[in-house]
Amino acid sequence: MRHSRLRRLLFLALCCDFGLFAKQLVSPFANLVTDALHIPGGIGTSFSLMFLVVSAALVPRPGCAAIMGATQSLIALIMGRVGSMGALSPIGYIVPGVVIDLVMRLTKPLPLTDRLALANAVGAVSASLTANLIVFRLQGAPLALYVCVAASSGALCGLLGGRIVPLVRRALSFGIQKGD
């Protein structure tokens, strides 16, 4: 039982790290699209949130994604990767985590891939709306475009996460038994 908890914690730590660093890798390419559309972003964040969604699927504990979002925010603050939100960046990590947890809980009857696509899309929209409220202050058509890009890239990354979960579960023999 102790070994299983340690393995779960290590997996969650890796997903936090992958989420942060994946965003750094994807953002330059994503910026090519968002700069052309004259919107602040949304694609890199969607890819980063995929790791929270995958974690929430593999470690179905209440608050898993919110705790991971808080952990990511602390790591980002320590490393100085706060982006345009500055000291308020933890809000931009925690809000999507809470939203992902809520969506994962409310959509239990749906197939796993659908749950992940929906959770990632709604999480990405919540991240974009949070960033807009704190920093960008977009209105009208630019805001609608920003939210649509976040939702569509979030859904695509969630679908990718749906393909990843069975592979990771099988590779790590990560079948979490009840009572663990």
Side-chain angles (χ1 to χ4, degrees):
M1 188 149 133
R2 205 173 267 213
H3 179 69
S4 177
R5 285 185 187 160
L6 178 61
R7 187 173 9 166
R8 191 179 309 135
L9 289 173
L10 287 172
F11 172 74
L12 294 175
L14 279 172
C15 282
C16 281
D17 291 341
F18 286 154
L20 281 173
F21 296 115
K23 185 174 183 176
Q24 296 301 116
L25 291 173
V26 170
S27 287
F29 301 108
N31 288 345
L32 294 173
V33 174
T34 57
D35 287 349
L37 295 172
H38 301 291
I39 58 173
I43 298 172
T45 301
S46 296
F47 190 71
S48 174
L49 289 176
M50 178 184 69
F51 292 96
L52 268 65
V53 171
V54 166
S55 306
L58 289 169
V59 183
R61 300 280 192 248
C64 177
I67 291 169
M68 287 186 58
T71 304
Q72 277 187 333
S73 72
L74 289 175
I75 294 169
L77 282 174
I78 290 168
M79 295 181 75
R81 294 186 175 176
V82 293
S84 56
M85 284 198 246
L88 297 177
S89 68
I91 297 168
Y93 286 94
I94 295 169
V95 168
V98 170
V99 168
I100 288 168
D101 282 331
L102 184 62
V103 171
M104 292 295 284
R105 183 175 273 283
L106 294 174
T107 60
K108 278 188 180 180
L110 294 177
L112 181 64
T113 304
D114 295 348
R115 291 177 66 205
L116 298 182
L118 188 59
N120 211 70
V122 176
V125 167
S126 72
S128 65
L129 291 174
T130 302
N132 189 59
L133 181 68
I134 294 173
V135 179
F136 303 122
R137 310 245 188 245
L138 298 173
Q139 295 178 357
L143 176 60
L145 184 59
Y146 180 34
V147 170
C148 287
V149 167
S152 58
S153 64
L156 287 173
C157 290
L159 290 172
L160 177 61
R163 299 291 300 235
I164 292 172
V165 166
L167 299 174
V168 172
R169 182 176 282 143
R170 197 173 358 190
L172 297 177
S173 302
F174 211 59
I176 305 293
Q177 285 86 26
K178 293 186 187 227
D180 260 357

mmCIF file of all heavy atoms in Angstrom, residues 65-93:
data_model
loop_
_atom_site.group_PDB
_atom_site.id
_atom_site.type_symbol
_atom_site.label_atom_id
_atom_site.label_comp_id
_atom_site.label_asym_id
_atom_site.label_seq_id
_atom_site.Cartn_x
_atom_site.Cartn_y
_atom_site.Cartn_z
ATOM 1 N N ALA A 65 -6.709 17.511 -9.329
ATOM 2 C CA ALA A 65 -6.292 18.524 -10.304
ATOM 3 C C ALA A 65 -6.071 19.883 -9.635
ATOM 4 O O ALA A 65 -5.147 20.608 -10.009
ATOM 5 C CB ALA A 65 -7.327 18.639 -11.426
ATOM 6 N N ALA A 66 -6.882 20.221 -8.647
ATOM 7 C CA ALA A 66 -6.709 21.499 -7.943
ATOM 8 C C ALA A 66 -5.389 21.512 -7.171
ATOM 9 O O ALA A 66 -4.656 22.511 -7.184
ATOM 10 C CB ALA A 66 -7.881 21.747 -6.999
ATOM 11 N N ILE A 67 -5.075 20.408 -6.513
ATOM 12 C CA ILE A 67 -3.808 20.323 -5.781
ATOM 13 C C ILE A 67 -2.633 20.384 -6.746
ATOM 14 O O ILE A 67 -1.629 21.051 -6.483
ATOM 15 C CB ILE A 67 -3.768 19.036 -4.928
ATOM 16 C CG1 ILE A 67 -4.782 19.152 -3.790
ATOM 17 C CG2 ILE A 67 -2.361 18.772 -4.389
ATOM 18 C CD1 ILE A 67 -5.039 17.867 -3.039
ATOM 19 N N MET A 68 -2.787 19.721 -7.887
ATOM 20 C CA MET A 68 -1.714 19.776 -8.882
ATOM 21 C C MET A 68 -1.565 21.180 -9.464
ATOM 22 O O MET A 68 -0.450 21.638 -9.710
ATOM 23 C CB MET A 68 -1.967 18.759 -9.981
ATOM 24 C CG MET A 68 -1.722 17.355 -9.506
ATOM 25 S SD MET A 68 -1.836 16.168 -10.814
ATOM 26 C CE MET A 68 -0.617 16.755 -11.952
ATOM 27 N N GLY A 69 -2.677 21.866 -9.678
ATOM 28 C CA GLY A 69 -2.609 23.243 -10.148
ATOM 29 C C GLY A 69 -1.903 24.139 -9.137
ATOM 30 O O GLY A 69 -1.084 24.989 -9.506
ATOM 31 N N ALA A 70 -2.208 23.939 -7.861
ATOM 32 C CA ALA A 70 -1.542 24.718 -6.811
ATOM 33 C C ALA A 70 -0.048 24.398 -6.785
ATOM 34 O O ALA A 70 0.793 25.303 -6.633
ATOM 35 C CB ALA A 70 -2.181 24.422 -5.458
ATOM 36 N N THR A 71 0.293 23.123 -6.943
ATOM 37 C CA THR A 71 1.705 22.725 -6.961
ATOM 38 C C THR A 71 2.415 23.330 -8.160
ATOM 39 O O THR A 71 3.530 23.857 -8.039
ATOM 40 C CB THR A 71 1.827 21.184 -6.990
ATOM 41 O OG1 THR A 71 1.115 20.653 -5.870
ATOM 42 C CG2 THR A 71 3.267 20.739 -6.947
ATOM 43 N N GLN A 72 1.770 23.283 -9.331
ATOM 44 C CA GLN A 72 2.361 23.899 -10.515
ATOM 45 C C GLN A 72 2.571 25.398 -10.297
ATOM 46 O O GLN A 72 3.585 25.940 -10.722
ATOM 47 C CB GLN A 72 1.472 23.683 -11.736
ATOM 48 C CG GLN A 72 1.648 22.374 -12.407
ATOM 49 C CD GLN A 72 0.856 22.282 -13.707
ATOM 50 O OE1 GLN A 72 -0.162 22.945 -13.882
ATOM 51 N NE2 GLN A 72 1.334 21.453 -14.608
ATOM 52 N N SER A 73 1.613 26.047 -9.654
ATOM 53 C CA SER A 73 1.750 27.485 -9.446
ATOM 54 C C SER A 73 2.933 27.800 -8.532
ATOM 55 O O SER A 73 3.661 28.763 -8.770
ATOM 56 C CB SER A 73 0.458 28.084 -8.889
ATOM 57 O OG SER A 73 0.261 27.716 -7.545
ATOM 58 N N LEU A 74 3.151 26.977 -7.508
ATOM 59 C CA LEU A 74 4.304 27.191 -6.625
ATOM 60 C C LEU A 74 5.613 26.975 -7.373
ATOM 61 O O LEU A 74 6.554 27.758 -7.222
ATOM 62 C CB LEU A 74 4.224 26.252 -5.419
ATOM 63 C CG LEU A 74 3.144 26.556 -4.399
ATOM 64 C CD1 LEU A 74 3.096 25.478 -3.320
ATOM 65 C CD2 LEU A 74 3.380 27.920 -3.777
ATOM 66 N N ILE A 75 5.660 25.928 -8.182
ATOM 67 C CA ILE A 75 6.869 25.661 -8.969
ATOM 68 C C ILE A 75 7.121 26.817 -9.941
ATOM 69 O O ILE A 75 8.255 27.288 -10.082
ATOM 70 C CB ILE A 75 6.761 24.327 -9.721
ATOM 71 C CG1 ILE A 75 6.721 23.159 -8.726
ATOM 72 C CG2 ILE A 75 7.924 24.150 -10.699
ATOM 73 C CD1 ILE A 75 6.346 21.829 -9.361
ATOM 74 N N ALA A 76 6.073 27.294 -10.598
ATOM 75 C CA ALA A 76 6.217 28.411 -11.544
ATOM 76 C C ALA A 76 6.703 29.668 -10.827
ATOM 77 O O ALA A 76 7.563 30.389 -11.348
ATOM 78 C CB ALA A 76 4.897 28.665 -12.257
ATOM 79 N N LEU A 77 6.160 29.937 -9.643
ATOM 80 C CA LEU A 77 6.604 31.111 -8.883
ATOM 81 C C LEU A 77 8.067 30.986 -8.481
ATOM 82 O O LEU A 77 8.836 31.937 -8.613
ATOM 83 C CB LEU A 77 5.735 31.295 -7.633
ATOM 84 C CG LEU A 77 4.360 31.906 -7.825
ATOM 85 C CD1 LEU A 77 3.569 31.877 -6.528
ATOM 86 C CD2 LEU A 77 4.467 33.332 -8.348
ATOM 87 N N ILE A 78 8.446 29.817 -7.996
ATOM 88 C CA ILE A 78 9.833 29.604 -7.570
ATOM 89 C C ILE A 78 10.795 29.758 -8.744
ATOM 90 O O ILE A 78 11.876 30.320 -8.598
ATOM 91 C CB ILE A 78 9.977 28.214 -6.907
ATOM 92 C CG1 ILE A 78 9.262 28.209 -5.556
ATOM 93 C CG2 ILE A 78 11.440 27.818 -6.754
ATOM 94 C CD1 ILE A 78 9.089 26.836 -4.949
ATOM 95 N N MET A 79 10.383 29.268 -9.915
ATOM 96 C CA MET A 79 11.254 29.327 -11.091
ATOM 97 C C MET A 79 11.149 30.655 -11.844
ATOM 98 O O MET A 79 11.841 30.858 -12.830
ATOM 99 C CB MET A 79 10.924 28.169 -12.028
ATOM 100 C CG MET A 79 11.228 26.820 -11.403
ATOM 101 S SD MET A 79 10.879 25.461 -12.499
ATOM 102 C CE MET A 79 12.275 25.615 -13.608
ATOM 103 N N GLY A 80 10.263 31.536 -11.405
ATOM 104 C CA GLY A 80 10.117 32.830 -12.057
ATOM 105 C C GLY A 80 9.379 32.791 -13.375
ATOM 106 O O GLY A 80 9.520 33.678 -14.199
ATOM 107 N N ARG A 81 8.572 31.764 -13.589
ATOM 108 C CA ARG A 81 7.807 31.625 -14.837
ATOM 109 C C ARG A 81 6.365 32.035 -14.593
ATOM 110 O O ARG A 81 5.449 31.230 -14.722
ATOM 111 C CB ARG A 81 7.872 30.191 -15.332
ATOM 112 C CG ARG A 81 9.255 29.805 -15.730
ATOM 113 C CD ARG A 81 9.293 28.464 -16.340
ATOM 114 N NE ARG A 81 10.644 28.218 -16.809
ATOM 115 C CZ ARG A 81 11.046 27.102 -17.328
ATOM 116 N NH1 ARG A 81 10.200 26.108 -17.471
ATOM 117 N NH2 ARG A 81 12.277 26.956 -17.720
ATOM 118 N N VAL A 82 6.179 33.278 -14.261
ATOM 119 C CA VAL A 82 4.841 33.746 -13.900
ATOM 120 C C VAL A 82 4.088 34.342 -15.075
ATOM 121 O O VAL A 82 2.889 34.575 -14.978
ATOM 122 C CB VAL A 82 4.905 34.751 -12.726
ATOM 123 C CG1 VAL A 82 5.370 34.058 -11.473
ATOM 124 C CG2 VAL A 82 5.820 35.925 -13.058
ATOM 125 N N GLY A 83 4.754 34.612 -16.165
ATOM 126 C CA GLY A 83 4.071 35.138 -17.349
ATOM 127 C C GLY A 83 3.488 36.511 -17.108
ATOM 128 O O GLY A 83 3.945 37.276 -16.264
ATOM 129 N N SER A 84 2.431 36.817 -17.832
ATOM 130 C CA SER A 84 1.840 38.150 -17.782
ATOM 131 C C SER A 84 1.013 38.389 -16.524
ATOM 132 O O SER A 84 0.685 39.522 -16.209
ATOM 133 C CB SER A 84 0.969 38.378 -19.022
ATOM 134 O OG SER A 84 -0.007 37.360 -19.098
ATOM 135 N N MET A 85 0.679 37.344 -15.772
ATOM 136 C CA MET A 85 -0.134 37.518 -14.567
ATOM 137 C C MET A 85 0.685 37.882 -13.339
ATOM 138 O O MET A 85 0.124 38.263 -12.328
ATOM 139 C CB MET A 85 -0.938 36.245 -14.281
ATOM 140 C CG MET A 85 -2.114 36.091 -15.193
ATOM 141 S SD MET A 85 -3.284 34.928 -14.532
ATOM 142 C CE MET A 85 -3.177 33.650 -15.741
ATOM 143 N N GLY A 86 1.980 37.739 -13.421
ATOM 144 C CA GLY A 86 2.841 38.110 -12.306
ATOM 145 C C GLY A 86 2.520 37.333 -11.040
ATOM 146 O O GLY A 86 2.323 36.118 -11.078
ATOM 147 N N ALA A 87 2.453 38.027 -9.920
ATOM 148 C CA ALA A 87 2.217 37.389 -8.622
ATOM 149 C C ALA A 87 0.831 36.753 -8.525
ATOM 150 O O ALA A 87 0.588 35.930 -7.650
ATOM 151 C CB ALA A 87 2.399 38.407 -7.501
ATOM 152 N N LEU A 88 -0.079 37.127 -9.418
ATOM 153 C CA LEU A 88 -1.420 36.532 -9.412
ATOM 154 C C LEU A 88 -1.497 35.246 -10.233
ATOM 155 O O LEU A 88 -2.571 34.653 -10.359
ATOM 156 C CB LEU A 88 -2.445 37.541 -9.947
ATOM 157 C CG LEU A 88 -2.616 38.814 -9.115
ATOM 158 C CD1 LEU A 88 -3.589 39.761 -9.789
ATOM 159 C CD2 LEU A 88 -3.075 38.479 -7.711
ATOM 160 N N SER A 89 -0.374 34.794 -10.765
ATOM 161 C CA SER A 89 -0.387 33.594 -11.598
ATOM 162 C C SER A 89 -0.905 32.344 -10.883
ATOM 163 O O SER A 89 -1.478 31.473 -11.547
ATOM 164 C CB SER A 89 0.984 33.336 -12.210
ATOM 165 O OG SER A 89 1.911 32.972 -11.227
ATOM 166 N N PRO A 90 -0.746 32.185 -9.556
ATOM 167 C CA PRO A 90 -1.347 30.995 -8.927
ATOM 168 C C PRO A 90 -2.847 30.871 -9.183
ATOM 169 O O PRO A 90 -3.355 29.750 -9.323
ATOM 170 C CB PRO A 90 -1.053 31.185 -7.437
ATOM 171 C CG PRO A 90 0.216 31.966 -7.421
ATOM 172 C CD PRO A 90 0.096 32.909 -8.593
ATOM 173 N N ILE A 91 -3.532 31.979 -9.303
ATOM 174 C CA ILE A 91 -4.971 31.931 -9.600
ATOM 175 C C ILE A 91 -5.191 31.272 -10.959
ATOM 176 O O ILE A 91 -6.111 30.471 -11.135
ATOM 177 C CB ILE A 91 -5.588 33.344 -9.569
ATOM 178 C CG1 ILE A 91 -5.467 33.942 -8.175
ATOM 179 C CG2 ILE A 91 -7.053 33.319 -10.009
ATOM 180 C CD1 ILE A 91 -5.778 35.419 -8.099
ATOM 181 N N GLY A 92 -4.319 31.586 -11.919
ATOM 182 C CA GLY A 92 -4.430 31.032 -13.260
ATOM 183 C C GLY A 92 -4.142 29.542 -13.335
ATOM 184 O O GLY A 92 -4.489 28.894 -14.313
ATOM 185 N N TYR A 93 -3.504 28.992 -12.313
ATOM 186 C CA TYR A 93 -3.256 27.551 -12.258
ATOM 187 C C TYR A 93 -4.322 26.828 -11.428
ATOM 188 O O TYR A 93 -4.717 25.717 -11.757
ATOM 189 C CB TYR A 93 -1.882 27.257 -11.630
ATOM 190 C CG TYR A 93 -0.712 27.554 -12.520
ATOM 191 C CD1 TYR A 93 -0.053 28.786 -12.447
ATOM 192 C CD2 TYR A 93 -0.246 26.615 -13.417
ATOM 193 C CE1 TYR A 93 1.039 29.057 -13.242
ATOM 194 C CE2 TYR A 93 0.850 26.871 -14.224
ATOM 195 C CZ TYR A 93 1.489 28.099 -14.135
ATOM 196 O OH TYR A 93 2.562 28.361 -14.931
#
